[in-house]
Amino acid sequence: MSKSIREQFTAHTLAGVDPTSSAGVKNKEKALALVESLGPLFREQQTRLYANQDRAILLVLQGMDGCGKDGVVKHVVDLFYPTSVRVTSFKAPTEQEQEHDFLWRFRQHLPSPGTIAVFNRSWYEDVGIAKVHNLAEPAVIDERYGLINDFEQEVAGSGITVLKCFLHVSYDEQRQRMLDRLADPTKRWKFKEADLEERRFWLQYMDVYDTAIQRCSRESTPWYVVPADHKWYRDWVVSQLVAETLTELQLEYPVPHLDIEALTKRLTSD
Amino acid sequence: MSKSIREQFTAHTLAGVDPTSSAGVKNKEKALALVESLGPLFREQQTRLYANQDRAILLVLQGMDGCGKDGVVKHVVDLFYPTSVRVTSFKAPTEQEQEHDFLWRFRQHLPSPGTIAVFNRSWYEDVGIAKVHNLAEPAVIDERYGLINDFEQEVAGSGITVLKCFLHVSYDEQRQRMLDRLADPTKRWKFKEADLEERRFWLQYMDVYDTAIQRCSRESTPWYVVPADHKWYRDWVVSQLVAETLTELQLEYPVPHLDIEALTKRLTSD
């Protein structure tokens, strides 16, 4: 019972993590209430983080189509004030971005001190889809794991706590979510036939993600594999990971050097 | 009673707007409930806006220290999902920014199609603090009003609805808020002695803002002057302005050309 949430969900491989798991939470209602109850803690810690202008948080959301990256933003990231949080969704790199090394575009969006950044997709696309679809030479892709490890160490060393979450959804659940998108006129615009094509590469994707998780797990930048077939469980896990991280930073309000009495006097008489 | 909220709060001068007003709302509790009740509308319209990738919204928050720009972000902008909203706070321009024309840095943060941008301070600093503290030649500053009008017309013409809100707080209420900051250890870090210095220029600031509002009010990019002594009234007004704007865009979900039956069949058998 004394195992932290981060220890509990740290994984060095995808194998053995059951996407349908809901271990540790009784039911949906309980999970929703627990997530919601973290709002005050999120906002308090966010304010302290910002006040100190020292540390920062980077939440990386990775996973297959329909795994719920947007859902986590809508239900977990939403607990923060919008003031010092920035969500960036990474699509296929633009021409300008392609002129730089693959990590360049992510560097542009790293959180500044005191803020929280959320990356919807990340540099793992460059060892994910890039590998599945041979978008670069095998040797080039192979070299990236080392570059990623160095980059993540550098980021962590600069005071940014990195939370890499792989939202682990099953093949069957992805089908169900795609069917739901097709059936619902308010969600249909999200459906892309290309996503259906990508499903054919499911096993290759599982394989490349497994490799990435195996090769890019360091003590200061581990991977968290989040069972994501139950949306409420996924949100509960991510919210707990963030809450634990924020709490362990032990943030206090800075105490400015002010002559409060003199300033108060000056204000009241102006 | 048929006057829209936007008509009601459009102003061509600061004179005549009472910062202590709470016209149209019974009391604080009522105001808070009304703001909160707009959440579903905000999120629904935000999703439609994003789905269409066509129009965008730019909410500009301007006003004196302590007028509640952050408060509006925390209580009104917070009603949106964090997915497609981006808040940018503009401080004194960096050296790199100063190498460009004064509008350059704001262009970098204009909302992309389908999204909502919130500017905490804006190009009005360049005819505000710049004028009060003689940060540029009078002729240079004078020329800026025209450049601002052209810029805003261009932005509006590109499909971005611009909502310029001047949060109008009184001299006495600013004092009270500064005293509150001093007294509260969780807010004291926000207090800057420089802000107290700026209070001495209050009348000059009122004058330059009045000029800006007079010279930069066009039909498609009017100024809204928001009475801001009551935080709950300020939030109510801004939330209503945003809600009305979103509603009038008459956004519908796009209808993609998909053979739903064939796709469903393909998915269920894979």
Side-chain angles (χ1 to χ4, degrees):
Chain A
M1 285 304 283
S2 64
K3 226 177 168 187
S4 74
I5 289 283
R6 281 172 303 163
E7 285 170 320
Q8 211 174 310
F9 289 94
T10 296
H12 298 275
T13 166
L14 274 183
V17 179
D18 176 7
T20 69
S21 168
S22 62
V25 187
K26 210 168 171 184
N27 56 35
K28 182 176 175 178
E29 288 63 41
K30 188 77 186 155
L32 295 179
L34 284 167
V35 171
E36 200 54 38
S37 74
L38 288 173
L41 181 141
F42 267 52
R43 292 188 284 274
E44 174 72 27
Q45 296 298 317
Q46 171 186 27
T47 307
R48 293 178 187 216
L49 189 72
Y50 186 76
N52 282 286
Q53 295 280 309
D54 181 17
R55 305 295 310 252
I57 308 270
L58 172 58
L59 176 64
V60 174
L61 302 173
Q62 197 68 46
M64 300 299 286
D65 288 319
C67 68
K69 299 182 289 294
D70 280 325
V72 167
V73 172
K74 284 184 177 176
H75 302 113
V76 181
V77 180
D78 195 45
L79 297 175
F80 287 116
Y81 289 126
T83 329
S84 52
V85 173
R86 200 155 260 224
V87 181
T88 308
S89 295
F90 293 97
K91 319 267 177 192
T94 63
E95 259 184 59
Q96 197 213 355
E97 288 169 346
Q98 283 179 10
E99 285 171 11
H100 298 269
D101 75 282
F102 76 102
L103 292 168
W104 180 83
R105 62 181 184 140
F106 304 105
R107 285 187 191 274
Q108 313 306 311
H109 297 277
L110 287 174
S112 54
T115 71
I116 298 147
V118 181
F119 284 5
N120 184 326
R121 303 185 185 274
S122 69
W123 47 90
Y124 285 97
E125 298 294 325
D126 297 280
V127 291
I129 190 171
K131 206 168 169 182
V132 171
H133 290 296
N134 306 307
L135 304 180
E137 293 295 321
V140 170
I141 293 178
D142 200 64
E143 197 190 18
R144 287 180 182 165
Y145 297 103
L147 295 169
I148 286 174
N149 280 324
D150 291 347
F151 172 65
E152 292 182 359
Q153 290 307 110
E154 179 201 323
V155 170
S158 76
I160 300 172
T161 303
V162 185
L163 292 169
K164 300 185 289 182
C165 295
F166 184 81
L167 308 181
H168 194 23
V169 82
S170 68
Y171 187 73
D172 286 346
E173 179 63 19
Q174 189 194 53
R175 177 193 298 113
Q176 193 50 54
R177 293 190 186 173
M178 287 185 169
L179 287 170
D180 291 346
R181 279 189 190 176
L182 271 178
D184 183 345
T186 74
K187 290 182 179 170
R188 202 170 286 154
W189 60 275
K190 288 191 211 173
F191 189 91
K192 283 170 197 68
E193 291 202 51
D195 294 349
L196 223 157
E197 292 303 317
E198 287 305 290
R199 253 174 89 71
R200 293 168 50 211
F201 299 96
W202 185 273
L203 291 177
Q204 282 101 306
Y205 272 110
M206 290 304 110
D207 190 51
V208 295
Y209 274 126
D210 197 48
T211 304
I213 289 166
Q214 284 186 43
R215 294 185 64 174
C216 301
S217 289
R218 295 291 168 94
E219 208 180 317
S220 63
T221 55
W223 265 106
Y224 304 106
V225 176
V226 179
D229 270 15
H230 295 295
K231 295 174 180 178
W232 48 269
Y233 189 69
R234 169 201 76 199
D235 291 344
W236 176 78
V237 174
V238 178
S239 69
Q240 294 294 320
L241 287 169
V242 173
E244 200 178 88
T245 302
L246 287 167
T247 306
E248 286 201 7
L249 287 177
Q250 299 191 293
L251 301 159
E252 299 294 339
Y253 284 105
V255 181
H257 296 285
L258 295 172
D259 186 339
I260 296 168
E261 207 176 324
L263 289 167
T264 304
K265 208 165 172 180
R266 194 172 140 198
L267 259 170
T268 42
S269 64
D270 81 349
Chain B
M1 284 306 283
S2 65
K3 224 176 168 188
S4 76
I5 289 283
R6 280 172 304 162
E7 285 170 322
Q8 211 174 311
F9 289 94
T10 296
H12 297 275
T13 166
L14 273 184
V17 180
D18 176 7
T20 69
S21 168
S22 62
V25 187
K26 209 168 171 187
N27 56 34
K28 183 176 173 177
E29 288 62 41
K30 189 77 187 155
L32 295 179
L34 284 167
V35 170
E36 200 53 39
S37 73
L38 288 173
L41 182 141
F42 268 51
R43 292 188 285 275
E44 174 72 27
Q45 295 299 317
Q46 171 186 28
T47 307
R48 293 178 188 216
L49 189 73
Y50 186 76
N52 282 286
Q53 296 280 310
D54 181 15
R55 305 295 311 252
I57 308 270
L58 172 59
L59 175 65
V60 174
L61 302 173
Q62 196 69 44
M64 301 298 287
D65 288 319
C67 68
K69 299 183 289 294
D70 279 325
V72 167
V73 172
K74 285 184 177 178
H75 302 114
V76 181
V77 180
D78 195 44
L79 297 175
F80 288 115
Y81 289 127
T83 329
S84 52
V85 173
R86 199 156 262 223
V87 182
T88 308
S89 296
F90 293 97
K91 321 267 178 192
T94 63
E95 259 183 59
Q96 197 213 354
E97 287 169 347
Q98 282 178 12
E99 285 170 12
H100 299 269
D101 75 283
F102 76 102
L103 291 168
W104 180 82
R105 62 180 185 142
F106 304 105
R107 285 187 191 274
Q108 312 306 310
H109 297 277
L110 288 174
S112 53
T115 72
I116 298 147
V118 181
F119 283 4
N120 185 326
R121 303 185 185 274
S122 70
W123 47 90
Y124 284 98
E125 298 293 325
D126 296 282
V127 291
I129 189 170
K131 206 168 169 183
V132 172
H133 290 296
N134 305 307
L135 303 180
E137 293 295 322
V140 170
I141 293 178
D142 200 64
E143 198 189 17
R144 287 180 182 165
Y145 297 104
L147 295 169
I148 286 174
N149 280 324
D150 290 348
F151 173 65
E152 291 183 359
Q153 289 308 110
E154 179 201 323
V155 171
S158 75
I160 299 172
T161 303
V162 185
L163 292 169
K164 299 186 290 183
C165 296
F166 184 80
L167 308 182
H168 194 24
V169 82
S170 68
Y171 188 73
D172 286 346
E173 179 63 19
Q174 190 196 52
R175 177 193 298 113
Q176 193 50 54
R177 292 190 188 174
M178 287 187 168
L179 287 169
D180 291 346
R181 278 190 190 175
L182 270 178
D184 183 344
T186 72
K187 290 182 180 171
R188 202 171 286 154
W189 60 274
K190 288 191 210 174
F191 189 92
K192 282 170 199 70
E193 291 202 51
D195 294 348
L196 225 158
E197 293 302 318
E198 287 305 291
R199 254 175 88 71
R200 292 168 50 209
F201 300 96
W202 186 271
L203 291 178
Q204 282 101 306
Y205 273 110
M206 289 305 109
D207 190 51
V208 296
Y209 274 126
D210 197 48
T211 304
I213 289 166
Q214 284 186 43
R215 293 185 63 175
C216 301
S217 289
R218 295 291 168 93
E219 207 180 318
S220 63
T221 55
W223 265 106
Y224 304 107
V225 176
V226 179
D229 269 16
H230 295 295
K231 295 174 181 179
W232 47 270
Y233 188 68
R234 168 202 77 200
D235 290 346
W236 176 79
V237 174
V238 178
S239 70
Q240 294 295 320
L241 287 168
V242 173
E244 201 179 86
T245 302
L246 287 167
T247 306
E248 287 201 7
L249 287 177
Q250 298 191 294
L251 301 159
E252 299 293 338
Y253 284 104
V255 181
H257 296 285
L258 295 172
D259 185 340
I260 295 168
E261 205 177 326
L263 288 167
T264 304
K265 208 165 172 180
R266 195 170 140 200
L267 258 170
T268 42
S269 64
D270 81 350

